Amino acid sequence: MKLADADILILPGLGNSGPGHWQLRWAERMRTAAIVEQAEWDEPDPDDWTDTIVKAVELAERNVVLVAHSLACIALVQAAPRFDAGKVKGALLVSPPDIEGNPNAPAEAKAFGTVPREPLPFPSLLVISDTDPYCALESAADFAGAWGSDFHQAGDAGHINVASGHGPWPEGLLMFTRLMQRL
């Protein structure tokens, strides 16, 4: 699938993607990309977040590919059963937090409750760092298996955000390009 053939919906995590974050950079570079804005970035309401994602998918004019980071991965998985069948063609899931089992997960994220374990109804790629403070590699592998996602270890990359040195994140863009070619 070509970028021009899809609406790329970028889903930032808790606190939004600040200046220099790879998601913001991608949104600026991709003509068909848009950041899905949440009403409350710092004290998220799980129902509001999932409703906002579902509405963004419904309003998209073309097929959709989702790019989620951190807590937005959990919101996407919770929203997925509500998507119109066949509209979402794929998803890149980067650094999902283990909100159930990781004591370092932000308290605000715990409101999202139990992480769904049903397979996603579209192809996906889950990318996790060996040193993510919010999700152990084993937990991420469990998520990938449950969701039917391809799994990629990003090495020593922290939470794959600006704080861990990932502004432009060209490796991620390459993974996203490969995912798009597969769709």
Side-chain angles (χ1 to χ4, degrees):
M1 174 178 281
K2 295 180 182 174
L3 284 175
D5 297 334
D7 285 331
I8 311 301
L9 299 181
I10 297 178
L11 312 174
L14 186 65
N16 196 355
S17 297
H21 193 284
W22 59 268
Q23 284 185 307
L24 183 59
R25 291 173 187 240
W26 290 13
E28 291 169 351
R29 290 183 62 191
M30 297 178 196
R31 185 179 56 79
T32 63
I35 292 179
V36 175
E37 295 289 340
Q38 296 291 349
E40 178 54 61
W41 288 110
D42 298 319
E43 294 181 28
D45 176 274
D47 293 331
D48 187 49
W49 270 42
T50 55
D51 288 348
T52 299
I53 293 168
V54 169
K55 276 201 174 29
V57 169
E58 287 172 354
L59 292 172
E61 296 178 5
R62 294 176 286 242
N63 290 322
V64 171
V65 177
L66 301 162
V67 177
H69 181 254
S70 193
L71 187 57
C73 295
I74 306 304
L76 179 160
V77 172
Q78 291 176 342
R82 297 172 48 201
F83 296 154
D84 290 339
K87 182 132 187 208
V88 174
K89 297 301 181 187
L92 177 66
L93 308 165
V94 181
S95 300
D98 179 1
I99 61 174
E100 297 170 297
N102 188 311
N104 296 324
E108 300 85 356
K110 302 219 183 261
F112 283 74
T114 304
V115 177
R117 301 283 194 223
E118 293 78 28
L120 292 170
F122 42 79
S124 59
L125 170 63
L126 189 152
V127 180
I128 192 74
S129 162
D130 296 348
T131 55
D132 192 306
Y134 306 120
C135 189
L137 201 55
E138 296 78 22
S139 296
D142 178 56
F143 289 154
W147 300 337
S149 302
D150 290 341
F151 184 72
H152 179 83
Q153 287 180 248
D156 179 9
H159 195 52
I160 311 180
N161 58 9
V162 174
S164 65
H166 294 86
W169 195 39
E171 301 87 358
L173 192 55
L174 182 58
M175 285 181 256
F176 179 69
T177 301
R178 288 184 183 145
L179 174 65
M180 290 296 293
Q181 289 172 343
R182 207 179 89 208
L183 301 178

